[in-house]
PDB file of all heavy atoms in Angstrom:
ATOM      1  N   GLU S1376      -1.887  13.849 -25.963  1.00  0.00           N
ATOM      2  CA  GLU S1376      -2.092  14.893 -26.874  1.00  0.00           C
ATOM      3  C   GLU S1376      -1.879  16.266 -26.172  1.00  0.00           C
ATOM      4  O   GLU S1376      -1.148  17.267 -26.716  1.00  0.00           O
ATOM      5  CB  GLU S1376      -3.511  14.977 -27.411  1.00  0.00           C
ATOM      6  CG  GLU S1376      -3.775  16.124 -28.453  1.00  0.00           C
ATOM      7  CD  GLU S1376      -2.863  16.108 -29.539  1.00  0.00           C
ATOM      8  OE1 GLU S1376      -2.359  15.133 -29.981  1.00  0.00           O
ATOM      9  OE2 GLU S1376      -2.745  17.284 -30.145  1.00  0.00           O
ATOM     10  N   VAL S1377      -2.286  16.518 -24.912  1.00  0.00           N
ATOM     11  CA  VAL S1377      -2.104  17.761 -24.261  1.00  0.00           C
ATOM     12  C   VAL S1377      -0.624  17.908 -23.974  1.00  0.00           C
ATOM     13  O   VAL S1377      -0.039  19.039 -24.012  1.00  0.00           O
ATOM     14  CB  VAL S1377      -2.947  17.861 -23.018  1.00  0.00           C
ATOM     15  CG1 VAL S1377      -2.551  18.954 -22.051  1.00  0.00           C
ATOM     16  CG2 VAL S1377      -4.432  17.886 -23.297  1.00  0.00           C
ATOM     17  N   ASP S1378       0.051  16.708 -23.556  1.00  0.00           N
ATOM     18  CA  ASP S1378       1.426  16.783 -23.252  1.00  0.00           C
ATOM     19  C   ASP S1378       2.273  17.237 -24.452  1.00  0.00           C
ATOM     20  O   ASP S1378       3.128  18.025 -24.296  1.00  0.00           O
ATOM     21  CB  ASP S1378       1.909  15.271 -22.892  1.00  0.00           C
ATOM     22  CG  ASP S1378       3.303  15.338 -22.439  1.00  0.00           C
ATOM     23  OD1 ASP S1378       3.921  16.220 -21.651  1.00  0.00           O
ATOM     24  OD2 ASP S1378       3.977  14.348 -22.906  1.00  0.00           O
ATOM     25  N   ARG S1379       1.909  16.677 -25.649  1.00  0.00           N
ATOM     26  CA  ARG S1379       2.583  17.156 -26.894  1.00  0.00           C
ATOM     27  C   ARG S1379       2.446  18.644 -27.092  1.00  0.00           C
ATOM     28  O   ARG S1379       3.338  19.336 -27.543  1.00  0.00           O
ATOM     29  CB  ARG S1379       2.040  16.297 -28.139  1.00  0.00           C
ATOM     30  CG  ARG S1379       2.644  14.895 -28.255  1.00  0.00           C
ATOM     31  CD  ARG S1379       2.258  14.239 -29.564  1.00  0.00           C
ATOM     32  NE  ARG S1379       0.845  13.967 -29.640  1.00  0.00           N
ATOM     33  CZ  ARG S1379       0.361  12.790 -29.356  1.00  0.00           C
ATOM     34  NH1 ARG S1379       1.049  11.823 -28.909  1.00  0.00           N
ATOM     35  NH2 ARG S1379      -0.943  12.612 -29.413  1.00  0.00           N
ATOM     36  N   ARG S1380       1.183  19.075 -26.953  1.00  0.00           N
ATOM     37  CA  ARG S1380       0.806  20.516 -27.160  1.00  0.00           C
ATOM     38  C   ARG S1380       1.667  21.386 -26.198  1.00  0.00           C
ATOM     39  O   ARG S1380       2.158  22.530 -26.659  1.00  0.00           O
ATOM     40  CB  ARG S1380      -0.633  20.725 -27.139  1.00  0.00           C
ATOM     41  CG  ARG S1380      -1.411  20.161 -28.246  1.00  0.00           C
ATOM     42  CD  ARG S1380      -2.778  20.205 -28.052  1.00  0.00           C
ATOM     43  NE  ARG S1380      -3.368  21.462 -27.913  1.00  0.00           N
ATOM     44  CZ  ARG S1380      -4.583  21.760 -27.471  1.00  0.00           C
ATOM     45  NH1 ARG S1380      -5.252  20.843 -27.084  1.00  0.00           N
ATOM     46  NH2 ARG S1380      -4.921  22.986 -27.383  1.00  0.00           N
ATOM     47  N   LEU S1381       1.808  20.923 -24.963  1.00  0.00           N
ATOM     48  CA  LEU S1381       2.547  21.622 -24.004  1.00  0.00           C
ATOM     49  C   LEU S1381       3.969  21.856 -24.343  1.00  0.00           C
ATOM     50  O   LEU S1381       4.591  22.915 -24.218  1.00  0.00           O
ATOM     51  CB  LEU S1381       2.290  21.071 -22.619  1.00  0.00           C
ATOM     52  CG  LEU S1381       3.096  21.733 -21.401  1.00  0.00           C
ATOM     53  CD1 LEU S1381       2.681  23.142 -21.194  1.00  0.00           C
ATOM     54  CD2 LEU S1381       3.007  20.938 -20.025  1.00  0.00           C
ATOM     55  N   ARG S1382       4.680  20.662 -24.811  1.00  0.00           N
ATOM     56  CA  ARG S1382       5.936  20.698 -25.077  1.00  0.00           C
ATOM     57  C   ARG S1382       6.230  21.612 -26.385  1.00  0.00           C
ATOM     58  O   ARG S1382       7.191  22.405 -26.479  1.00  0.00           O
ATOM     59  CB  ARG S1382       6.428  19.327 -25.463  1.00  0.00           C
ATOM     60  CG  ARG S1382       6.756  18.634 -24.079  1.00  0.00           C
ATOM     61  CD  ARG S1382       7.533  17.300 -24.337  1.00  0.00           C
ATOM     62  NE  ARG S1382       6.399  16.321 -24.322  1.00  0.00           N
ATOM     63  CZ  ARG S1382       6.344  15.211 -25.059  1.00  0.00           C
ATOM     64  NH1 ARG S1382       7.175  15.011 -26.009  1.00  0.00           N
ATOM     65  NH2 ARG S1382       5.341  14.444 -24.831  1.00  0.00           N
ATOM     66  N   GLY S1383       5.205  21.550 -27.286  1.00  0.00           N
ATOM     67  CA  GLY S1383       5.387  22.395 -28.476  1.00  0.00           C
ATOM     68  C   GLY S1383       5.158  23.885 -28.158  1.00  0.00           C
ATOM     69  O   GLY S1383       5.961  24.796 -28.620  1.00  0.00           O
ATOM     70  N   TYR S1384       4.309  24.168 -27.203  1.00  0.00           N
ATOM     71  CA  TYR S1384       4.142  25.618 -26.838  1.00  0.00           C
ATOM     72  C   TYR S1384       5.438  26.075 -26.098  1.00  0.00           C
ATOM     73  O   TYR S1384       5.894  27.165 -26.313  1.00  0.00           O
ATOM     74  CB  TYR S1384       2.976  25.678 -25.821  1.00  0.00           C
ATOM     75  CG  TYR S1384       2.785  27.109 -25.374  1.00  0.00           C
ATOM     76  CD1 TYR S1384       2.153  28.040 -26.265  1.00  0.00           C
ATOM     77  CD2 TYR S1384       3.187  27.588 -24.106  1.00  0.00           C
ATOM     78  CE1 TYR S1384       1.970  29.372 -25.822  1.00  0.00           C
ATOM     79  CE2 TYR S1384       3.017  28.894 -23.680  1.00  0.00           C
ATOM     80  CZ  TYR S1384       2.385  29.696 -24.495  1.00  0.00           C
ATOM     81  OH  TYR S1384       2.202  31.039 -24.057  1.00  0.00           O
ATOM     82  N   ALA S1385       6.067  25.181 -25.115  1.00  0.00           N
ATOM     83  CA  ALA S1385       7.274  25.591 -24.559  1.00  0.00           C
ATOM     84  C   ALA S1385       8.319  25.880 -25.512  1.00  0.00           C
ATOM     85  O   ALA S1385       9.196  26.801 -25.366  1.00  0.00           O
ATOM     86  CB  ALA S1385       7.643  24.442 -23.591  1.00  0.00           C
ATOM     87  N   LYS S1386       8.477  24.931 -26.632  1.00  0.00           N
ATOM     88  CA  LYS S1386       9.398  25.189 -27.575  1.00  0.00           C
ATOM     89  C   LYS S1386       9.199  26.550 -28.291  1.00  0.00           C
ATOM     90  O   LYS S1386      10.198  27.257 -28.635  1.00  0.00           O
ATOM     91  CB  LYS S1386       9.471  24.102 -28.562  1.00  0.00           C
ATOM     92  CG  LYS S1386      10.206  22.852 -28.161  1.00  0.00           C
ATOM     93  CD  LYS S1386      10.221  21.793 -29.239  1.00  0.00           C
ATOM     94  CE  LYS S1386      10.976  20.562 -28.770  1.00  0.00           C
ATOM     95  NZ  LYS S1386      11.136  19.531 -29.824  1.00  0.00           N
ATOM     96  N   SER S1387       7.974  26.868 -28.567  1.00  0.00           N
ATOM     97  CA  SER S1387       7.756  28.125 -29.336  1.00  0.00           C
ATOM     98  C   SER S1387       7.986  29.349 -28.452  1.00  0.00           C
ATOM     99  O   SER S1387       8.357  30.363 -29.054  1.00  0.00           O
ATOM    100  CB  SER S1387       6.241  28.118 -29.767  1.00  0.00           C
ATOM    101  OG  SER S1387       5.380  28.391 -28.694  1.00  0.00           O
ATOM    102  N   GLN S1388       7.844  29.257 -27.135  1.00  0.00           N
ATOM    103  CA  GLN S1388       8.167  30.325 -26.353  1.00  0.00           C
ATOM    104  C   GLN S1388       9.566  30.425 -25.902  1.00  0.00           C
ATOM    105  O   GLN S1388      10.085  31.576 -25.763  1.00  0.00           O
ATOM    106  CB  GLN S1388       7.163  30.277 -24.968  1.00  0.00           C
ATOM    107  CG  GLN S1388       5.650  30.388 -25.267  1.00  0.00           C
ATOM    108  CD  GLN S1388       5.419  31.640 -25.990  1.00  0.00           C
ATOM    109  OE1 GLN S1388       5.687  32.780 -25.327  1.00  0.00           O
ATOM    110  NE2 GLN S1388       4.609  31.665 -26.997  1.00  0.00           N
ATOM    111  N   LEU S1389      10.167  29.390 -25.531  1.00  0.00           N
ATOM    112  CA  LEU S1389      11.574  29.407 -25.112  1.00  0.00           C
ATOM    113  C   LEU S1389      12.604  29.307 -26.258  1.00  0.00           C
ATOM    114  O   LEU S1389      13.746  29.742 -26.053  1.00  0.00           O
ATOM    115  CB  LEU S1389      11.785  28.261 -24.132  1.00  0.00           C
ATOM    116  CG  LEU S1389      10.932  28.279 -22.814  1.00  0.00           C
ATOM    117  CD1 LEU S1389      11.122  26.999 -21.956  1.00  0.00           C
ATOM    118  CD2 LEU S1389      11.268  29.484 -21.981  1.00  0.00           C
ATOM    119  N   GLY S1390      12.238  28.771 -27.247  1.00  0.00           N
ATOM    120  CA  GLY S1390      13.230  28.510 -28.453  1.00  0.00           C
ATOM    121  C   GLY S1390      13.654  27.100 -28.390  1.00  0.00           C
ATOM    122  O   GLY S1390      13.593  26.383 -27.321  1.00  0.00           O
ATOM    123  N   THR S1391      14.003  26.537 -29.561  1.00  0.00           N
ATOM    124  CA  THR S1391      14.328  25.199 -29.668  1.00  0.00           C
ATOM    125  C   THR S1391      15.704  24.774 -29.064  1.00  0.00           C
ATOM    126  O   THR S1391      16.094  23.620 -28.773  1.00  0.00           O
ATOM    127  CB  THR S1391      14.340  24.698 -31.131  1.00  0.00           C
ATOM    128  OG1 THR S1391      15.231  25.576 -31.806  1.00  0.00           O
ATOM    129  CG2 THR S1391      12.975  24.865 -31.748  1.00  0.00           C
ATOM    130  N   LYS S1392      16.602  25.765 -28.713  1.00  0.00           N
ATOM    131  CA  LYS S1392      17.857  25.493 -28.076  1.00  0.00           C
ATOM    132  C   LYS S1392      18.011  25.780 -26.628  1.00  0.00           C
ATOM    133  O   LYS S1392      19.004  25.497 -26.102  1.00  0.00           O
ATOM    134  CB  LYS S1392      18.928  26.317 -28.891  1.00  0.00           C
ATOM    135  CG  LYS S1392      19.150  26.039 -30.239  1.00  0.00           C
ATOM    136  CD  LYS S1392      20.176  26.832 -31.009  1.00  0.00           C
ATOM    137  CE  LYS S1392      20.203  26.389 -32.496  1.00  0.00           C
ATOM    138  NZ  LYS S1392      21.302  27.320 -33.241  1.00  0.00           N
ATOM    139  N   ASN S1393      16.970  26.217 -26.087  1.00  0.00           N
ATOM    140  CA  ASN S1393      16.971  26.572 -24.583  1.00  0.00           C
ATOM    141  C   ASN S1393      17.035  25.294 -23.807  1.00  0.00           C
ATOM    142  O   ASN S1393      16.194  24.431 -23.896  1.00  0.00           O
ATOM    143  CB  ASN S1393      15.668  27.424 -24.345  1.00  0.00           C
ATOM    144  CG  ASN S1393      15.849  28.137 -23.020  1.00  0.00           C
ATOM    145  OD1 ASN S1393      16.253  27.505 -22.126  1.00  0.00           O
ATOM    146  ND2 ASN S1393      15.285  29.278 -22.844  1.00  0.00           N
TER     147      ASN S1393
END
Side-chain angles (χ1 to χ4, degrees):
E1376 176 62 26
V1377 171
D1378 183 45
R1379 282 190 290 267
R1380 290 171 58 195
L1381 177 63
R1382 279 187 263 140
Y1384 181 77
K1386 282 184 180 182
S1387 71
Q1388 295 300 308
L1389 297 174
T1391 57
K1392 296 180 181 181
N1393 194 322

